[in-house]
Amino acid sequence: MKRRRSGRLVRGPVRAALIALLATAVASGCAADGADSATGAKRPVSPATGQEGPPALKAAPADALSVYAEKMRRKQAARVAAAKKWGLAKIPLTAPEPPAVKPRITTRKGFEVTGGDALPPVFTTVPTKERIVFLTMDDGAEKDPALLRMMTELDIPYSAFLSDYVVNEDYGYFKKMQARGVVLSNHTLNHRYMPGLSYAEQEREICGQQDMMAKHFGKRPTLFRPPYGNYNRDTLRIAKSCGIKAVPLWASEAFPDHMEWREWDRDLHPGDIILTHFRGREDWKGSMPDMIRRVMKTVTDKGYAVARLEDYV
């Protein structure tokens, strides 16, 4: 007999039973750890639910790399074929992957309004060191089906700033554009000169267009471009009140036969925003595909790629 710490004795039969139970528990633990009870060899153990670890790779790293390389090869071949089909002088350059964190946008110097620190920033260039520019199109007057096909086949991103007074002729055209990944933004209901309107009139133009965009395209825009690039403090206050986060203007403007420049050096810079319009031969010397050929020649010749504005703003 052995004496327990409490002073009571544990008799022989009880002690033997405890030893047997302990031995059984140890054996069970070994089996759970993967030992085969018959041979003693290790066997695989199923992990607990929720602790299974990552799934096995479906392909070896070399195979995955080959698949990616083939995908890129086919994409580039498609761009080459599209550039030839649409008469581009050069194959458009491919933009780099967008940043994981969008850059901080501030109002361009000289574009401020009194007390505008808490208002949406007004800018012409996105802060970036990448050789990229952004293509934007205003109003929606011309609805050329060739533009949709061209931009899709060339895989060139662009943004549309729409005014309802011309868009309402064919909302379906812009729904097709949206389905191709183009972000549709606010350019007021009727394209009026904002500083010449009362607060209530500006509110109707800006917030009214927000409502129309939500009704016909399912989303309220976060970007707004005032007609002619003109605005005052009321414009920005109203824009903020109905969901606008930023006011991108432009650093240059594209036409089918020439470019116009805001900057003194008449050149592109990393992050510049390019403006053009939905126009056809009735309004300028060429079609919308002609305009794309002109702007892409300028952009590509200068070593830039077109990126998606909404990935940065």
Side-chain angles (χ1 to χ4, degrees):
M1 294 185 295
K2 291 185 181 280
R3 184 176 298 274
R4 296 179 60 188
R5 289 185 180 179
S6 63
R8 290 186 296 175
L9 299 178
V10 178
R11 298 187 182 277
V14 177
R15 181 169 178 268
L18 290 173
I19 292 172
L21 287 171
L22 179 60
T24 302
V26 171
S28 299
C30 291
D33 286 340
D36 190 292
S37 59
T39 65
K42 285 283 183 179
R43 63 170 179 266
V45 180
S46 299
T49 302
Q51 298 181 3
E52 294 87 348
L57 293 176
K58 294 182 178 179
D63 293 337
L65 184 60
S66 296
V67 170
Y68 177 78
E70 177 62 16
K71 180 181 178 181
M72 291 298 100
R73 187 193 68 77
R74 290 183 180 181
K75 186 174 182 179
Q76 181 62 13
R79 288 170 69 87
V80 171
K84 182 177 180 180
K85 172 182 175 180
W86 291 102
L88 268 65
K90 294 181 180 179
I91 302 164
L93 299 176
T94 302
E97 288 294 314
V101 178
K102 293 181 180 181
R104 179 174 176 267
I105 307 292
T106 57
T107 292
R108 175 173 171 158
K109 186 176 181 179
F111 287 59
E112 305 94 340
V113 296
T114 302
D117 291 345
L119 298 177
V122 181
F123 54 100
T124 62
T125 299
V126 173
T128 179
K129 294 181 180 179
E130 301 282 2
R131 291 185 69 80
I132 56 172
V133 292
F134 305 98
L135 181 60
T136 63
M137 301 183 191
D138 277 10
D139 62 51
E142 180 73 6
K143 303 163 186 67
D144 187 349
L147 175 72
L148 299 181
R149 297 194 301 271
M150 182 181 194
M151 300 302 275
T152 300
E153 292 174 15
L154 289 169
D155 194 24
I156 297 173
Y158 61 106
S159 304
F161 290 81
L162 305 181
S163 291
D164 190 69
Y165 83 107
V166 285
V167 170
N168 63 19
E169 300 167 355
D170 187 358
Y171 289 117
Y173 177 83
F174 299 97
K175 288 181 180 178
K176 292 177 183 177
M177 186 176 291
Q178 184 182 41
R180 287 164 164 81
V182 177
V183 175
L184 309 180
S185 294
N186 188 327
H187 197 44
T188 73
L189 284 173
N190 298 293
H191 205 273
R192 300 178 68 187
Y193 176 71
M194 291 291 101
L197 302 181
S198 68
Y199 189 97
E201 289 171 327
Q202 287 202 53
E203 186 172 43
R204 179 177 180 276
E205 284 292 323
I206 300 169
C207 299
Q209 179 65 351
Q210 290 287 86
D211 295 339
M212 293 299 290
M213 299 287 284
K215 176 180 177 180
H216 293 287
F217 305 113
K219 292 184 179 180
R220 295 175 68 82
T222 59
L223 302 184
F224 164 67
R225 176 174 286 162
Y228 317 107
N230 296 124
Y231 59 94
N232 57 19
R233 185 169 183 269
D234 283 348
T235 311
L236 302 183
R237 288 175 59 205
I238 292 164
K240 180 180 179 180
S241 75
C242 49
I244 296 300
K245 305 298 183 185
V247 181
L249 298 185
W250 60 91
S252 58
E253 185 171 358
F255 297 86
D257 57 343
H258 70 285
M259 294 284 295
E260 293 185 359
W261 309 92
R262 185 188 294 271
E263 308 301 338
W264 65 271
D265 58 358
R266 300 176 58 80
D267 203 357
L268 291 177
H269 312 88
D272 274 359
I273 299 170
I274 300 173
L275 163 69
T276 191
H277 288 80
F278 289 92
R279 294 287 186 273
R281 295 186 182 279
E282 294 181 359
D283 299 294
W284 59 18
K285 298 177 182 178
S287 63
M288 293 206 75
D290 291 332
M291 179 276 299
I292 294 298
R293 281 185 277 273
R294 163 66 64 172
V295 71
M296 290 311 301
K297 182 178 188 325
T298 302
V299 169
T300 308
D301 282 353
K302 293 178 179 293
Y304 285 84
V306 177
R308 185 174 180 270
L309 179 64
E310 293 77 15
D311 288 339
Y312 289 77
V313 178

